[in-house]
Amino acid sequence: MDINSPDFIARSKSALNDANLQTALQNLKAGFPSKRRKAMERMPEFDAMRDQAVVIKDKVIENLDFYLETFENKVHASGGHVHWAQTSDEACQTIVDICRSVNAKTVTKGKSMVTEEINLNEFLEKHNITPIETDLGEYILQLRGDHPSHIIAPAIHLNLPQVSDIFAEKHNLPRKEDPAELMQEARDIMRDHFIAADVGITGANFFVAETGSTMIVTNEGNGDLTQTLPKVHIVVTSIEKCVPTLEDLSLFMRLLSRSATGQESAVYNTLSSGPRQTGDQDGPEQFHVVLVDNGRSDMVGDEQQDMLRCIRCSACMNHCPVYSQIGGHAYGWVYPGPMGSVLTPKMIGIDQAGHLPNASTFCGKCEAVCPVRIPLPKLMRTWRERQFEQNLGSAANRWGIRFWSAMVKRPKLYHAMTRFTMPLMKLWAGKKNRLHSLPIGRGWTLWRDLPAPEGKTFMQQWQAQTKQPKQHTDKEMQP
Amino acid sequence: MSRSPYLQPSKNTLTQPKVALFVTCLADAMRPSVAFATVKLLQAAGCVVQVPASQTCCGQPAFNSGDRNNTRLIAQQTMAALEGYDYVVGPSGSCIGMLHQYPELFDETSKDFQTAQKLARQAYEITSFLVDVMDFKLAPNDTKAQVTYHDSCAGLRELDIHRQPRQLLAQMPNIELKEMQEADTCCGFGGTFCIKYPDISNRMVEHKADNANASQVQLLVGGDLGCLMNMAGKLKRQGSNLQTRHIVELLADALDLPALGEAHNTELRSASINLAYEG
Amino acid sequence: MSQARQQILARIRSGLKRGPLSPHQQTTLQQQLESPKRTLQPARAKVTGQATIDDFKAMALESAAELIQLDSLDQLPAQLAALMQQANISQQPLVLADESNLRSLNWASAGINTELRVAQNGDAISLTNSLCGVAETGTLVLHSSPNSPTSLNFLPDIHCLVLQQTNIVAGYEDAWDKVRDGAKSGAIPRTVNFITGPSRSADLEQTLRMGAHGPKRLVVFLL
């Protein structure tokens, strides 16, 4: 995916003015949070399970080398292959090499954010291999040359007429408006692709060290047709998606579906282990797992390590008051919302993604709903700290804060300054008792008034009241 | 933004607890009546209140801007100013929440860390202090109004403030609390966020204003001046009649001054709700 | 890409401020993998007795699966014939898993044409067994095998399966135990499917619709 994060302000502005997008975001806000809440109410152990999930994930990270090696051994034992890739390019090259080895012309793809991260489709096309997205939302986006705006509902920013339009244009079939008919059309067209594909590429929601297996979680069944029908199945996963055992996997299956869409369970939770076995009539002849690092091993032992617990459920962005105003494209890259604000600077650099960890009020709703209790505001703050140290971002803001800090560290000077400026502000506000415009911090009065100060500061009044002559008695401390 | 591990309220057993008022920079500069109302409530609860003179700011602006060095220095200064009391109480979940984060600023083996932990355990937002620690009963108060309450984010998520302000409002017989939609959704203030990302912030406060107006009350109250000024500023720019006050103004019967950003004061005492303006 | 492997592992270890785990530490972790322990399970994954069956039925119906109770497997052909007639697919072949309990039923008398093969594009209906049902979410567990190719679970428009009531377990962990038990030579099947209802998508204006790419209907014959 192209990097557009530096344009955050312009993109978020246009998002705020995009009526179609705003309607779509209203639907998201009305849907996912209440569904999640209902699912939580039906499973009273939910919070305790979150605590357990943190324990498991932290243990995996602390022993990640062991679990990766164990996983690799198990995959080999089942007849599969494991490839390690430090960078996007390494991962893409590995995948192209596998495709070339079987003369692949087309590959079907299950939904995978990691493949967006490594820009796989572009790389495949450059090497004359045609990728076909099979998840309905991703397919619609692919037809439009568009990109996901949400990590589990990628086409959430689109409305029905836009889907009708693109299907009519690209499928060369009469335009349909009924969603059931649109879905049938997609189903029919995709079936040919599923059957014809030489290679199927999926992501992995989890991979299991105990058995050398990968799991995909879908509602459509596209991932299953992708991982069953072609001769080769390639799983592209990032290194931290590991869980130790099938028992641990069960816990995460329960947390993921409820945190993501509020479903009791996704329709298809599918475990893949190696290639087809002796006697199997279908299933791939080859099973490959590409383990993608892309900056994650750097985060182990780092102050942002907790981010590696993420199970990509999307609860954070579904509940984020900022995301629900601007949508995912404003963030300018693969991962939007709170989790995107922590990950994106890591992957594309804080110089490019500088706005993301700053465009947050730290309201904390994300952390409150995260199934693995990632302290997202704190992690965003660590990016702000790095920016401050490296003199990145707005110089005006930095100097403003330095000025403020310099003042408040000098109480006498600070109190004198407020004693001086507040009456002026009150005067300026006049009878209306509020200010319509300000010379600094114009962002405030652009959209709202500023209530005027009372005039005298509290410290000023308090000190006046408690300045009693020494003859007075114990009323001194109480005005 | 998670629940402070130092929040362990227990009932006060001291006869005349010595309380340091943490004024907060916004109350000090913009709305002293909030601080005075807080003092009044604390005294009514039986506390001896002092106002350490060298306090200025909790350091949150520096903290959230990534200036950890200055945050530490400000924290050290604040801790020194607030030393030697039974409790530290302030009219802001956000500022008191910041005091609860002081320990994180220091190495766990340092003395500052110990001091910070001690302070965090003593530091309370006013409504939480009155209810959870002092078991306070409000003096009889015939103020009459329909109000709605905005749950400020930091207070809610760091300090568990939700039940306490409502409990106190419930003690006022002529106050009717009508909950608005999304009372606990962020108002869009976020410190420098509203200056740096004004369009997004505006959209958020527009939603908040819509919800507040839709609750059809006379008064919007909350516990944090940042949020309150943000919401009041928007409401007044929109020309809404809805008035905004800090909850302590209501609880302490400190209604002499007009509500935030209002030109006039509104009588909240007559038998019928009267929005006619007084002189 | 063994250089990548080396460097990734090295970076992980340097982040953790240690070298490779000691043999003792590795053995401990290895033993935990070989004797997996259940983590915190919700109560609904630990029900027993009749509750297991009742919960399964309620949750399966909630997921939009269809449940048809049978007294004996012999009733299956007639039931399927009725279903196929209602769906206007009586002329279509029923693609069957090559399992003895299914193969041996009297399909001819019900006028059903059966084919024992992998599923193909255009197949209207398939029939398989199932490993077990899971009460906590009304989930069916199936797996690949020489006699029951996975495509039977996904390509046809209607997927029918047989579930023995005695094979209904409470929670996912019980199902995984069954998967492990059934695995010969320690290898679990290539594909294990946990299926909860028919295929669906909410990608079109966030309204849920059935029948995205997997089966549009999931029919459970309960014995």
Side-chain angles (χ1 to χ4, degrees):
Chain A
M1 222 169 124
D2 285 343
I3 292 172
N4 288 306
S5 308
D7 294 330
F8 177 82
I9 297 216
R11 288 166 79 92
S12 56
K13 237 192 205 150
S14 88
L16 289 169
N17 294 321
D18 181 339
N20 282 335
L21 175 64
Q22 291 300 316
T23 308
L25 290 171
Q26 285 291 81
N27 290 338
L28 185 159
K29 215 168 92 153
F32 285 148
S34 64
K35 288 182 181 140
R36 172 188 173 274
R37 196 171 30 249
K38 283 202 187 88
M40 272 180 66
E41 283 161 14
R42 288 178 76 172
M43 196 163 77
E45 300 87 349
F46 193 84
D47 272 340
M49 288 166 66
R50 289 165 77 191
D51 293 333
Q52 186 61 33
V54 171
V55 170
I56 296 171
K57 274 280 158 181
D58 281 348
K59 179 177 167 179
V60 166
I61 298 166
E62 311 263 310
N63 298 286
L64 190 58
D65 52 339
F66 168 81
Y67 285 113
L68 286 171
E69 286 179 311
T70 305
F71 173 74
E72 180 185 45
N73 291 337
K74 288 287 182 178
V75 173
H76 287 165
S78 69
H81 307 267
V82 174
H83 313 262
W84 302 64
Q86 296 186 82
T87 63
S88 300
D89 280 343
E90 269 180 36
C92 286
Q93 190 60 56
T94 304
I95 294 164
V96 162
D97 290 344
I98 299 170
C99 290
R100 279 219 182 108
S101 74
V102 294
N103 282 323
K105 302 278 180 304
T106 67
V107 317
T108 41
K109 288 188 69 215
K111 202 179 83 63
S112 160
M113 296 311 289
V114 174
T115 63
E116 289 278 352
E117 183 189 317
I118 64 175
N119 249 332
L120 180 62
N121 287 2
E122 208 178 276
F123 201 91
L124 288 170
E125 280 158 358
K126 246 195 295 207
H127 289 85
N128 294 319
I129 300 166
T130 306
I132 298 164
E133 296 288 349
T134 64
D135 170 272
L136 183 58
E138 287 277 5
Y139 174 66
I140 294 166
L141 294 176
Q142 188 178 37
L143 291 180
R144 286 171 53 98
D146 198 350
H147 287 282
S149 69
H150 187 279
I151 61 172
I152 64 159
I156 206 159
H157 55 286
L158 297 177
N159 60 28
L160 210 51
Q162 287 169 309
V163 180
S164 300
D165 288 343
I166 196 66
F167 273 19
E169 185 190 330
K170 298 285 182 177
H171 290 169
N172 255 322
L173 291 168
R175 188 175 190 280
K176 295 171 180 65
E177 291 185 345
D178 178 35
E181 288 180 34
L182 286 166
M183 209 150 93
Q184 183 66 45
E185 186 171 304
R187 182 189 174 86
D188 292 335
I189 289 189
M190 198 55 68
R191 252 154 174 63
D192 292 330
H193 293 310
F194 282 130
I195 307 266
D198 305 300
V199 172
I201 299 176
T202 67
N205 292 81
F206 307 101
F207 61 89
V208 186
E210 174 204 339
T211 54
S213 314
T214 60
M215 172 168 272
I216 52 172
V217 177
T218 71
N219 283 314
E220 296 180 12
N222 63 305
D224 293 275
L225 290 167
T226 300
Q227 71 108 40
T228 297
L229 297 177
K231 281 203 290 289
V232 177
H233 177 205
I234 304 176
V235 177
V236 187
T237 177
S238 48
I239 55 174
E240 84 286 12
K241 294 281 195 75
C242 182
V243 297
T245 65
L246 295 171
E247 276 71 13
D248 299 322
L249 181 67
S250 304
L251 179 89
F252 283 97
M253 286 164 68
R254 293 177 181 119
L255 286 176
L256 177 61
S257 58
R258 291 175 176 85
S259 301
T261 57
Q263 285 175 279
E264 294 288 305
S265 168
V267 179
Y268 303 111
N269 289 282
T270 299
L271 196 75
S272 311
S273 313
R276 61 160 71 180
Q277 295 172 5
T278 318
D280 281 353
Q281 295 179 62
D282 61 18
E285 291 159 20
Q286 292 183 36
F287 179 69
H288 296 263
V289 180
V290 181
L291 294 171
V292 179
D293 182 353
N294 216 18
R296 289 156 174 87
S297 59
D298 259 346
M299 292 169 76
V300 176
D302 169 274
E303 55 185 343
Q304 293 178 330
Q305 177 180 302
D306 289 350
M307 194 62 222
L308 293 174
R309 294 202 292 259
C310 180
I311 63 173
R312 304 292 192 265
C313 70
S314 81
C316 59
M317 62 194 76
N318 292 340
H319 290 80
C320 175
V322 173
Y323 178 94
S324 67
Q325 310 303 336
I326 62 176
H329 284 162
Y331 294 80
W333 198 54
V334 178
Y335 302 110
M339 56 81 72
S341 299
V342 177
L343 271 182
T344 306
K346 184 73 195 171
M347 290 175 181
I348 69 173
I350 186 64
D351 50 330
Q352 297 217 69
H355 279 298
L356 271 53
N358 282 285
S360 166
T361 61
F362 287 174
C363 82
K365 188 73 186 181
C366 50
E367 180 174 355
V369 300
C370 174
V372 285
R373 301 200 194 278
I374 300 171
L376 290 155
K378 177 172 154 189
L379 297 181
M380 285 186 246
R381 190 183 296 115
T382 62
W383 281 121
R384 297 183 187 187
E385 285 167 14
R386 291 173 190 181
Q387 281 175 308
F388 198 87
E389 282 159 30
Q390 296 168 39
N391 284 327
L392 293 169
S394 158
N397 277 318
R398 261 196 323 281
W399 285 107
I401 284 297
R402 283 201 181 105
F403 174 74
W404 175 260
S405 299
M407 294 302 295
V408 302
K409 286 191 300 186
R410 297 167 173 79
K412 289 209 167 82
L413 182 58
Y414 173 80
H415 289 306
M417 177 189 78
T418 48
R419 271 202 312 272
F420 178 73
T421 51
M422 290 306 119
L424 293 177
M425 271 180 80
K426 179 176 165 72
L427 204 62
W428 188 359
K431 284 210 171 83
K432 282 183 97 178
N433 207 22
R434 54 190 200 259
L435 290 144
H436 195 79
S437 70
L438 283 170
I440 53 159
R442 283 210 200 94
W444 182 285
T445 48
L446 185 59
W447 295 112
R448 51 175 100 55
D449 290 345
L450 179 67
E454 285 176 21
K456 290 209 166 115
T457 68
F458 174 78
M459 293 305 251
Q460 188 178 10
Q461 296 178 62
W462 181 264
Q463 263 137 35
Q465 284 176 6
T466 55
K467 247 198 206 107
Q468 308 286 349
K470 292 248 165 81
Q471 295 90 313
H472 275 250
T473 57
D474 51 298
K475 293 284 181 194
E476 241 160 58
M477 292 318 295
Q478 296 174 4
Chain B
M1 252 299 171
S2 50
R3 190 185 190 283
S4 166
Y6 302 103
L7 185 73
Q8 297 147 357
S10 57
K11 297 290 178 213
N12 171 61
T13 52
L14 304 164
T15 37
Q16 277 200 311
K18 222 170 90 167
V19 176
L21 176 74
F22 191 66
V23 184
T24 78
C25 59
L26 282 179
D28 177 42
M30 304 295 290
R31 201 159 175 88
S33 53
V34 166
F36 279 112
T38 308
V39 171
K40 187 173 168 189
L41 289 166
L42 288 168
Q43 289 172 340
C47 302
V48 172
V49 182
Q50 290 183 13
V51 181
S54 61
Q55 61 179 294
T56 53
C57 172
C58 65
Q60 184 156 204
F63 191 44
N64 285 342
S65 298
D67 186 354
R68 218 165 164 94
N69 281 335
N70 269 325
T71 310
R72 235 176 253 123
L73 292 168
I74 295 168
Q76 286 167 331
Q77 176 182 286
T78 308
M79 293 193 305
L82 299 175
E83 185 119 49
Y85 294 90
D86 299 317
Y87 301 101
V88 171
V89 181
S92 165
S94 163
C95 305
I96 299 294
M98 182 63 205
L99 297 188
H100 278 245
Q101 294 189 71
Y102 278 3
E104 264 183 62
L105 297 169
F106 303 105
D107 188 275
E108 283 180 14
T109 58
S110 68
K111 186 149 191 300
D112 280 330
F113 181 74
Q114 310 275 0
T115 313
Q117 286 193 311
K118 181 159 181 275
L119 173 60
R121 290 193 186 104
Q122 299 174 308
Y124 291 92
E125 181 268 0
I126 180 64
T127 63
S128 154
F129 182 70
L130 291 173
V131 173
D132 297 331
V133 179
M134 298 305 290
D135 223 349
F136 180 60
K137 300 288 173 277
L138 275 173
N141 184 328
D142 66 349
T143 305
K144 184 173 179 151
Q146 292 169 314
V147 314
T148 194
Y149 188 84
H150 164 73
D151 292 293
S152 295
C153 301
L156 175 67
R157 303 209 167 89
E158 292 173 17
L159 301 176
D160 260 358
I161 296 163
H162 178 80
R163 159 194 43 93
Q164 305 90 326
R166 289 167 172 82
Q167 224 166 299
L168 289 166
L169 289 172
Q171 290 185 36
M172 297 176 71
N174 295 331
I175 293 291
E176 184 194 345
L177 174 67
K178 293 169 77 172
E179 298 283 2
M180 61 175 161
Q181 295 285 346
E182 301 183 279
D184 64 358
T185 295
C186 185
C187 71
F189 171 59
T192 54
F193 172 84
C194 60
I195 311 286
K196 286 157 80 170
Y197 302 99
D199 296 326
I200 304 175
S201 169
N202 174 55
R203 189 58 62 87
M204 291 165 75
V205 77
E206 267 180 1
H207 279 309
K208 180 60 66 171
D210 286 347
N211 284 327
N213 282 320
S215 67
Q216 298 198 309
V217 298
Q218 289 84 45
L219 196 57
L220 167 65
V221 294
D224 261 278
L225 277 173
C227 309
L228 293 167
M229 285 173 38
N230 177 37
M231 296 184 295
K234 187 65 188 177
L235 287 164
K236 294 306 113 185
R237 178 66 68 92
Q238 285 178 340
S240 166
N241 277 329
L242 179 56
Q243 302 198 350
T244 307
R245 287 183 185 273
H246 193 289
I247 189 176
V248 296
E249 299 178 43
L250 208 56
L251 299 174
D253 199 14
L255 302 168
D256 294 336
L257 291 175
L260 277 159
E262 296 291 343
H264 306 279
N265 206 344
T266 303
E267 180 58 65
L268 293 178
R269 240 174 286 270
S270 49
S272 63
I273 309 282
N274 182 5
L275 287 174
Y277 294 135
E278 288 187 311
Chain C
M1 292 277 162
S2 61
Q3 198 205 23
R5 181 184 190 280
Q6 238 175 304
Q7 295 194 338
I8 291 172
L9 290 172
R11 250 195 313 274
I12 291 170
R13 285 168 182 148
S14 113
L16 293 169
K17 297 197 173 49
R18 60 161 174 78
L21 291 173
S22 71
H24 172 73
Q25 287 169 316
Q26 291 192 49
T27 310
T28 309
L29 290 175
Q30 190 58 42
Q31 281 171 347
Q32 289 169 1
L33 293 182
E34 282 158 18
S35 316
K37 287 217 168 60
R38 294 181 174 197
T39 65
L40 176 66
Q41 287 180 283
R44 59 199 282 183
K46 296 189 285 193
V47 292
T48 55
Q50 186 61 34
T52 318
I53 300 181
D54 293 341
D55 283 2
F56 171 82
K57 286 185 184 172
M59 294 306 292
L61 289 173
E62 192 183 298
S63 76
E66 296 161 57
L67 281 183
I68 299 176
Q69 194 85 41
L70 299 177
D71 298 320
S72 84
L73 208 47
D74 295 325
Q75 297 174 334
L76 187 49
Q79 289 280 352
L80 264 173
L83 187 150
M84 287 170 75
Q85 210 205 19
Q86 260 177 346
N88 248 322
I89 53 173
S90 302
Q91 307 311 314
Q92 304 276 357
L94 170 68
V95 190
L96 205 52
D98 194 359
E99 311 269 32
S100 53
N101 68 330
L102 302 177
R103 215 175 40 224
S104 60
L105 294 172
N106 203 342
W107 299 108
S109 74
I112 294 178
N113 221 358
T114 59
E115 292 183 17
L116 277 67
R117 56 167 171 75
V118 296
Q120 287 162 10
N121 195 2
D123 283 343
I125 184 166
S126 65
L127 174 66
T128 66
N129 283 324
S130 58
L131 179 67
C132 63
V134 186
E136 71 171 284
T137 48
T139 298
L140 286 314
V141 181
L142 293 81
H143 63 81
S144 57
S145 73
N147 297 336
S148 196
T150 298
S151 56
L152 292 178
N153 310 339
F154 289 97
L155 270 176
D157 284 350
I158 304 175
H159 175 207
C160 303
L161 59 91
V162 173
L163 174 65
Q164 304 285 345
Q165 234 166 249
T166 48
N167 280 338
I168 298 178
V169 297
Y172 297 153
E173 292 85 348
D174 302 307
W176 291 123
D177 279 341
K178 276 198 181 289
V179 170
R180 286 188 187 112
D181 289 343
K184 317 161 210 161
S185 70
I188 61 173
R190 142 71 193 175
T191 299
V192 179
N193 296 122
F194 276 51
I195 299 178
T196 312
S199 152
R200 71 202 62 194
S201 173
D203 275 337
L204 299 177
E205 262 185 9
Q206 291 185 65
T207 324
L208 201 57
R209 282 180 187 89
M210 302 301 158
H213 299 292
K216 298 181 186 180
R217 290 172 65 183
L218 181 72
V219 183
V220 180
F221 289 97
L222 198 52
L223 270 166

